[in-house]
Structures are given as structure tokens and as C-alpha cells.
Amino acid sequence: MEHTEITLSVRALVEFAYSSGSLEPGFRSGAAMSEGTRSHQLIQKQYKEGDRKEVYLQTEILHGSLRFKIDGRCDGLLAAEDGSLTVEEIKSIAGIPDSSLEGREVHWAQAYMYAYMLATDLGLPSIQVKLTYVQRGSEAQYSLYREMTREALTAFAEDTVSRYAPYAEMMVRYRVKRGESIPGLSFPFPAYRPGQRHFAAAVYTSIAEGANLFAQAPTGIGKTISTLFPAVKALGEGKAAGIFYLTAKTVTRIAAQEAAAMLNSRGLHLHVIALTAKDKACFREEGICGNDSCSYAEGYYDRINAALIDMLEHETLMTRETIAGYAHKHKVCPFEFSLDAAYTCDIVICDYNYIYDPRISLKRMSEERKKNTVLLVDEAHNLVDRGREMYSASLTKAPFLALSRTYKAANPGLGSAAKAVNAFFIALRKSCGDKGAGEWAAYPGELPELLENFAAEAEAELLNASSLFSAVQAEDDGAVSLLDTYYAVQGMLRTFKTYDERYITYAEVRSGDVYLKLFNLDPSHLLQQMAKSFRSQILFSATLSPLPYYRDMIGAGEEDYSLSLASPFHKEQWQVSVLPVSTRYHDREASLHPLSDALKGMVSKKGNYLVFFPSYVYLKNVYEVFTEKYPEVPVLLQGSGMSEVERESFLAAFRPDNPEPLLGFAVLGGIFSEGVDLPGDRLNGVMVVGVGLPQVGLERNLLRSYFQSQGRNGFDYAYIYPGMCKVQQAGGRLIRSENDSGIIILADDRFMQPSYRQLLPEEWRDYSVLT
């Protein structure tokens, strides 16, 4: 009988078979993993000669039509003087280990599997199993012992495999269907658009070779399907084992979901999941779960296996709504459920953070899976600023002062640690002098130890969840959160480890408070390091221009490919003009009436129009002048902090059958200037006000100085390139298909300067000038 091979680790097997209990609400130690490593090392240092640590073991177990190949490393193999052996499993815990411990079933199970492997390999009639618990952050330890016969261990191993078998059998059936569906899958459109076949071929070749690709792919190419389709083909041929489709915004995530649904509707059988942020996925009306009970968290591990098998058996595309339905059915936390499902899916659609951000990344993904996984990075121009954000860290003085007072008497250790950090900030404020600001090429040498002390005290308080902490948590929103401060401190401690010449430290006195930031100037090195673990990285955007700048800032290697595609549309589809008005800050008052008049001219024909402004204040000023001069024109206004419902309502107003003109006022670089699709007569014209330069400020000037010192054009890197990217994105909302046409007005005299004009899409450069 031929058996289907199932390869998995001991840990994955026993966690599936024996994990039980509830999700732990509230705080989870950020140091648990590193402390766990230290706990193992503490015990293993006590081993005598002849004892072995991290012993690799493997075995095969037949179950029905399946052959399980199971492997792992046992923490310790201890040899007694009489030659008998003991298998040791080490676990770190938050509490104090003592004789009341009986050991968790899943922990014993891991030790038993290693004992089974040894007893079977060596023909031992019995073997001793030792389970050792170590308190994190201390040397307190306690060991439990059990003598196990080979017969008992064999029965245990067979029972364990039988618990996993239903999931394995379901996945075998799924993989057969998947394997049969991919070879015959055809491109889901009647024909390729100009440049689209070339793009798809470049994606496939890059994946096949394990190379990275930087692709400037204009609007209209069909970037989503041009990357997903060849990636799926590569997966079907064994050239990849998984695909992550990474997005910066919800709208691009939805486009990826729709593309996956289209492929599945044409016969593809592939597990695809879209991850949603925790606060949006949570069923609680008040938002994210806290320390109080939640029926979806209680007993989560007792129900999660059935939930996973049910959903994976019956679904291929798992959206937020799909996940919520199965989470309700099986009464499991929808967010944790989605993460557990993601580790089994072929395509994961999610935010950049899940791969590039060390605070959020999917930490249970094995290195073996990573090296066979492809990253499709949509709107990759966003990765530059997002990377800076991920790898920077900041703190303010106020929380430490408040916490030092709150815990002074109730927890003197924590109060004292917070007071010491507050004292550091007092000295920092003095060092800022009359300017109220300071910059340094290195971080303050005394700060890491102060923050480590604070983090240790805060973690102990959070783990103990004292009555004072609970009372503070229950107070109004004005209360300083120990948890938030702890996470901010952990972020800075993490950043100390990556701090190098690509960082700068700065401080500012702001409204009486003191702000300190370790500012990442150049994220390219860290982005490159995070991506190195993966097989291939396909970075694409309509505004990945100038390409050398983005290759530089995202961390391209010399061997990485580049591709620049021409627009599939005709120049005649755009009617581009420049309004030579100054939108510089000191000239904005004088521009209000000229801009309003030009807008009235743009909307003189029936249709839908958008105008984008570099700031909300500027938008409001023009809006007030325009509505006073031309009250007959229907207008919409982008509000600050719009909800999803409000955003959808704003876009829904752009109907192709509007009986009169509609003008929407929006912010350049905001939610409506990127990733929004308003095809056909849903959008007939766009005005972009200004060249999009970021507001002049300390951080932008630090970037300018840094890149100038590196031999690049500092002003271009800090201001012009990021600004013109916003201009291209906003204008790119207009022409979305071969049948679209419309007006673009670029309102700024700088568009007529060669340095700005050359950064416009080629189709826009042959513009007319409005007088």
C-alpha cells in the first residue's frame, strides 16, 4: 500500500493534539521568547559529562494511508551511571514553580514523543521522562519525573497521530484538488493588456530564479492579477510553497481578494485568507479584548481544531466575513482564528506589518516555509515611509512622571524605575537648551539600562495584575496606561539593537513635555534583512518612479531585477493642463480665488470631479471661498478621521448617472488619493493642488542633511520624490481602463520647471498652460 507522506515537527503535532484552555487576555510578556531561551541555557549549563543537549530525533509512524515523518530536538538527554537514560523537556513560566505543579498535558506530550523516539530507536524497555519548569527572569526551577514503558509510549504516539490524522487527511484531499486545478488555469481575461504579459512573465521568472523584482507598472496594466496569476502558476510547479500579498491600505487588500475570487471562479482550488486588524475583527462592541472574560477566548484551544478543519474543508477564499461566520459558529476569537488559519493557507493577504515589522510579524512561521514563500508587495512606494515608522521608536516624559506617582507606595520598585526614567528626561530637557531641541548621532548611553529596569518592573506588575493596576485600568481614558508605556519601552529597547549610522537621535520640548525619538533615516538595510529570509520579493507600483530612488530606499541588491512598463493607454485619454499659480505656503492666501475659478471651469461640464490639496487647512480655505462664490455646485468634503462607512458613502456619491456636476474636496496623500478605483464616468476630472512636498519640519530636514552627506541630492530624497509620488497617485485615479478619458489640472507653477516636469508620467508632460 502506498502511503502519503506527512512531515511535521513534534511541537506542531502535540500542540494540535493536546493544546487546551483559554486565550490569555490582556498582557503577554514581550520577553517570553528570549527569557525562554535563557531558561533552557540555565538548565543545560548544569548538565554533567555524558549528558547531551538539543538532540535531534526523528521517527516514522503509519496511520491508515498516511506516513507521518516527525522530527524535533529534545532539550536534554541525560545519562545515569547505570546507563539508563532520561529525556528532559524544559519550559519557562511566569509564576514560581513549586511542588503543586502537575505539568500541562501538552508539555508532557512533547517529552513523551521524544521518549518514544529514543525508546524505539534504542530498543529500551522503559525510559524516564523529566519535565522541568523555570521561572522567567529568575533561577527558580522545579522538575517532575515519570517512568514510561516503551509499550505505553508507543500507544501514546499512535493516539497522538490519530488525533492529528483528520486534519492531515483533509489537507491531503485539499492538496490533490489544488494540484489538479493549477495546471489548467488560464489567464482570467480574454487577452493581455499591452505590457501585461511582459510583466507577468517577469514575475514568474523572478520567482523561479529566487530573485527580487522592482516593477514600475502604470495604472491600467492590471498589477494585481499580473502578479497573482504567475505566482500561483509558480506555486503549482513547486517553485514556491506560499504567497503573501502585502498591502498598505484596505482598498488594495480588497482588490487582491477580488482577483483571488476571480481565479477561484475559473477553477482554481486554493486556500486564500485576508487578515484584518484586531480592533476591526473583534466581536466586542467596545473594541479590543481586555482583562475581563470573553466567551470567544475562554476554551479557545478546546474548539480551534474543529473550527479550522470546518473552514478549510468548506472554503477557499476566507475574507473577514467568512472568518467571522465560522468564529461565531465555533465560538472562537476571530482574530486569533485568522492567524492560526493563515499558517495553513497558500495565499495570505495582509498588511506590510505582518512581514516587515518586528513587533507584529508572524513569528510562528518556520524558516523552512519562509525560504519558499513569495512576497508580492503592492503599492511598494509606501514601504519607504512605513519602513521608517516600523524601525523608529519614541518616548515622552509625561507617562513616567505619572507612573512614578501612581506606583510610589503600592509598588516602590516600579515607582522608582519610572522616577529614574523621568529624571533622565528632566536632564534631557536641560540639554535641549533655549532651542528646545537637540540632535545626536548616537542614543544616550545611560538610557538602555534605565529602560530595562523599568521594563522588568512593569512586566512583573503586569503579570501579577495587582489590584492597583486593575483599578488604574478601570479609570477614565485620561489615566496613563502602564501597558502602553511598557510596549513603547520595549519598542525602544528593540531599536537600540538595530541602531547604527542610518539612525539619528533627536529630542524636542513640546508643550511642556519632552519627546525623544530614535529616528530611522534609511530603512533600506533593515527592509533588505527582513526580506532575505524569503524566496522572492516582487515590489510593484504605478508610482515606483524614479526607480533608482526606490531601489535605493527599499534595499535592492545588484542582482535584483528592474522593470519599467509603458502605460497601456493612449495620450489622448488625458487632457492635461498646468495652472501656473503659486501654492507655496506664503502665497496660499493669494491662490484661493484663482483656484476656485479654475475649479469652476473644470466642473463646467456634467461629471464627477476630485480636487486634492496638500493640507486639510488649505482644503478648507479653498472650500469656503469656492462654496461662497459658486453655491450652485454640489460639493463633498473629506473629513478628518472618517469611518469606513463615511468613506464608502463619500465614494458612492460618485455615480456615473449624476444629473449635475459633483466636486469632491480631498487631501493629497490621503485615503482617497491612492488605491481608489472610480472607472468610467464615475470620475471625469482631477485637479492636484501643489507638488505634494512634505511639510518642512525637523524630520524632513534631518533626512535632507543625511542623504546630502551620503552623496545624494538631499532635497530630492527628502521632499521632491515623496511629493511627486503623491501627485502621480492622485492623478492616477482618473484613467482606469481603455475607455476612460478625462481632465487633469496640475495647479502649481513648479510643474513647469524641468526638475518637476521630468518626474511626471510621460503621458502628462505634453500639457497646455491655463491663463
Side-chain angles (χ1 to χ4, degrees):
M1 177 180 178
E2 188 174 339
H3 292 84
T4 302
E5 190 172 288
I6 305 294
T7 302
L8 75 164
S9 68
V10 168
R11 182 165 183 169
L13 172 64
V14 301
E15 285 185 350
F16 183 94
Y18 296 104
S19 287
S20 62
S22 305
L23 291 170
E24 297 176 14
F27 174 71
R28 298 179 188 179
S29 168
M33 187 173 293
S34 58
E35 287 291 350
T37 301
R38 283 195 284 270
S39 297
H40 279 63
Q41 293 171 345
L42 169 70
I43 301 299
Q44 290 167 343
K45 283 180 181 177
Q46 301 168 12
Y47 288 176
K48 64 183 185 301
E49 187 177 351
D51 295 341
R52 296 163 61 194
K53 62 183 180 181
E54 305 300 330
V55 181
Y56 179 77
L57 299 169
Q58 60 181 335
T59 193
E60 291 188 6
I61 300 176
L62 296 179
H63 180 90
S65 62
L66 304 178
R67 179 190 302 275
F68 284 86
K69 292 190 69 172
I70 306 162
D71 70 349
R73 293 184 183 277
C74 77
D75 295 327
L77 182 57
L78 316 179
E81 291 183 3
D82 63 0
S84 62
L85 296 175
T86 297
V87 170
E88 181 169 38
E89 182 65 25
I90 304 167
K91 297 296 179 184
S92 63
I93 57 174
I96 299 174
D98 57 35
S99 58
S100 66
L101 282 173
E102 294 183 4
R104 288 182 59 191
E105 184 180 23
V106 68
H107 296 160
W108 279 116
Q110 193 167 352
Y112 287 169
M113 284 304 301
Y114 292 131
Y116 163 75
M117 293 178 182
L118 279 162
T120 303
D121 287 350
L122 301 178
L124 303 176
S126 65
I127 190 169
Q128 184 168 244
V129 182
K130 180 181 181 182
L131 179 58
T132 298
Y133 286 102
V134 187
Q135 183 183 25
R136 288 196 291 269
S138 79
E139 296 189 5
Q141 56 186 275
Y142 187 79
S143 296
L144 301 160
Y145 296 86
R146 292 179 181 176
E147 189 75 21
M148 299 293 293
T149 66
R150 187 169 71 205
E151 289 76 11
L153 289 170
T154 300
F156 169 82
E158 290 174 350
D159 179 60
T160 302
V161 163
S162 72
R163 296 183 182 210
Y164 191 90
Y167 172 77
E169 289 163 351
M170 181 272 295
M171 290 302 292
V172 167
R173 292 191 298 272
Y174 160 73
R175 284 169 185 153
V176 169
K177 287 184 181 178
R178 182 189 68 182
E180 291 172 348
S181 72
I182 297 176
L185 183 69
S186 60
F187 190 68
F189 294 100
Y192 286 90
R193 290 177 175 176
Q196 193 172 31
R197 184 188 291 274
H198 185 195
F199 184 23
V203 171
Y204 177 86
T205 300
S206 299
I207 294 171
E209 295 180 4
N212 297 330
L213 172 67
F214 288 74
Q216 157 80 5
T219 298
I221 284 285
K223 296 183 290 296
T224 306
I225 201 67
S226 299
T227 53
L228 265 180
F229 179 72
V232 167
K233 284 292 189 179
L235 187 149
E237 295 172 9
K239 294 178 171 62
I243 300 164
F244 273 75
Y245 194 101
L246 305 174
T247 71
K249 298 185 179 181
T250 302
V251 287
T252 43
R253 186 192 72 202
I254 292 171
Q257 288 178 194
E258 291 173 347
M262 183 187 300
L263 291 173
N264 281 348
S265 71
R266 297 180 68 86
L268 179 64
H269 191 83
L270 206 64
H271 280 154
V272 182
I273 191 166
L275 299 183
T276 303
K278 187 173 186 177
D279 58 340
K280 293 180 181 178
C282 187
F283 290 149
R284 289 166 55 99
E285 291 182 3
E286 297 82 10
I288 292 180
C289 52
N291 289 324
D292 52 339
S293 63
C294 170
S295 60
Y296 293 93
E298 291 176 357
Y300 173 86
Y301 291 108
D302 300 315
R303 300 185 294 273
I304 184 58
N305 289 349
L308 281 171
I309 291 173
D310 189 12
M311 184 168 73
L312 294 171
E313 180 83 73
H314 297 102
E315 305 292 340
T316 49
L317 178 58
M318 287 155 269
T319 64
R320 174 180 171 179
E321 294 74 22
T322 307
I323 293 163
Y326 282 90
H328 273 301
K329 177 181 177 181
H330 293 275
K331 210 146 188 167
V332 292
C333 167
F335 178 70
E336 294 294 336
F337 179 35
S338 70
L339 293 184
D340 283 331
Y343 287 101
T344 73
C345 288
D346 299 292
I347 300 179
V348 180
I349 303 168
C350 60
D351 188 271
Y352 296 163
N353 291 344
Y354 288 96
I355 294 297
Y356 297 105
D357 192 332
R359 298 165 296 178
I360 301 169
S361 58
L362 295 168
K363 296 179 174 59
R364 281 186 281 149
M365 197 191 316
S366 68
E367 291 302 315
E368 183 65 27
R369 182 179 176 187
K370 281 185 180 181
K371 73 180 184 181
N372 290 301
T373 294
V374 174
L375 305 181
L376 305 179
V377 188
D378 198 356
E379 305 290 10
H381 61 275
N382 286 302
L383 201 51
V384 179
D385 282 338
R386 286 287 295 276
R388 285 199 186 100
E389 177 188 335
M390 291 172 193
Y391 304 130
S392 297
S394 62
L395 291 172
T396 57
K397 174 184 177 297
F400 297 99
L401 175 60
L403 291 170
S404 68
R405 291 170 175 170
T406 301
Y407 290 96
K408 181 178 180 181
N411 186 335
L414 176 56
S416 177
K419 184 178 179 181
V421 180
N422 184 64
F424 162 82
F425 273 102
I426 292 172
L428 182 64
R429 179 165 54 196
K430 292 178 181 177
S431 69
C432 288
D434 296 336
K435 292 171 56 181
E439 305 163 16
W440 302 272
Y443 58 78
E446 69 274 28
L447 187 56
E449 185 176 354
L450 292 173
L451 295 183
E452 285 169 0
N453 291 339
F454 173 84
E457 295 289 347
E459 184 171 316
E461 175 69 16
L462 290 163
L463 287 168
N464 292 332
S466 73
S467 58
L468 176 62
F469 172 66
S470 300
V472 170
Q473 289 290 92
E475 288 180 7
D476 61 29
D477 293 338
V480 171
S481 167
L482 175 61
L483 189 61
D484 289 345
T485 307
Y486 170 83
Y487 283 136
V489 165
Q490 286 289 358
M492 188 157 279
L493 288 171
R494 189 182 302 108
T495 305
F496 288 141
K497 297 175 183 177
T498 57
Y499 196 104
D500 59 13
E501 70 279 2
R502 302 173 187 87
Y503 280 82
I504 195 166
T505 303
Y506 76 84
E508 289 182 299
V509 179
R510 300 177 176 178
S511 303
D513 202 359
V514 186
Y515 176 84
L516 175 70
K517 185 168 186 177
L518 309 184
F519 182 41
N520 180 271
L521 299 160
D522 180 359
S524 60
H525 174 69
L526 293 173
L527 289 172
Q528 187 181 57
Q529 292 301 112
M530 292 296 287
K532 267 186 177 179
S533 302
F534 296 89
R535 176 175 180 81
S536 178
Q537 191 178 203
I538 311 297
L539 303 118
F540 55 99
S541 170
T543 54
L544 211 62
S545 174
L547 201 49
Y549 163 75
Y550 285 103
R551 282 180 61 94
D552 194 8
M553 295 309 303
I554 297 175
E558 290 183 5
E559 68 284 359
D560 292 341
Y561 295 133
S562 290
L563 177 67
S564 291
L565 296 164
S567 173
F569 305 140
H570 303 293
K571 287 185 179 182
E572 293 74 25
Q573 292 178 255
W574 288 271
Q575 183 184 331
V576 186
S577 55
V578 169
L579 178 67
V581 62
S582 174
T583 69
R584 297 164 183 85
Y585 188 77
H586 56 274
D587 293 329
R588 287 183 179 177
E589 184 68 28
S591 73
L592 301 183
H593 285 278
L595 287 171
S596 297
D597 294 341
L599 285 171
K600 180 61 170 70
M602 183 174 73
V603 303
S604 59
K605 293 182 180 180
K606 190 180 79 168
N608 299 310
Y609 301 87
L610 277 170
V611 55
F612 295 98
F613 292 86
S615 75
Y616 195 72
V617 172
Y618 199 6
L619 178 155
K620 289 277 284 185
N621 290 340
V622 175
Y623 174 82
E624 289 169 2
V625 170
F626 181 85
T627 53
E628 184 177 346
K629 289 185 75 172
Y630 308 109
E632 71 278 10
V633 179
V635 294
L636 285 175
L637 184 68
Q638 177 184 338
S640 57
M642 294 175 80
S643 67
E644 281 192 46
V645 173
E646 289 171 328
R647 295 178 193 179
E648 289 170 5
S649 177
F650 183 97
L651 293 173
F654 288 79
R655 300 191 305 270
D657 57 349
N658 277 339
E660 53 188 349
L662 175 68
L663 177 60
F665 286 72
V667 177
L668 193 61
I671 53 175
F672 299 122
S673 69
E674 184 174 327
V676 170
D677 201 10
L678 296 170
D681 285 335
R682 291 191 67 193
L683 188 62
N684 305 97
V686 169
M687 178 186 285
V688 180
V689 179
V691 291
L693 302 190
Q695 185 175 349
V696 175
L698 175 59
E699 288 195 355
R700 283 289 148 182
N701 285 335
L702 289 173
L703 291 171
R704 178 180 181 176
S705 297
Y706 170 77
F707 288 114
Q708 200 69 38
S709 72
Q710 298 296 306
R712 289 106 148 191
N713 186 315
F715 188 70
D716 285 354
Y717 269 58
Y719 288 100
I720 293 182
Y721 294 157
M724 289 298 287
C725 178
K726 293 178 185 177
V727 171
Q728 293 180 57
Q729 280 291 329
R733 298 313 94 215
L734 183 60
I735 306 298
R736 311 300 293 176
S737 74
E738 299 90 339
N739 301 318
D740 293 353
S741 62
I743 300 166
I744 294 181
I745 299 177
L746 304 173
D748 195 295
D749 54 19
R750 284 170 287 188
F751 286 116
M752 300 175 70
Q753 298 175 11
S755 58
Y756 288 91
R757 185 175 180 274
Q758 69 180 1
L759 294 174
L760 293 173
E762 186 178 347
E763 300 78 25
W764 300 5
R765 294 175 195 170
D766 188 19
Y767 52 69
S768 60
V769 179
L770 297 178
T771 56

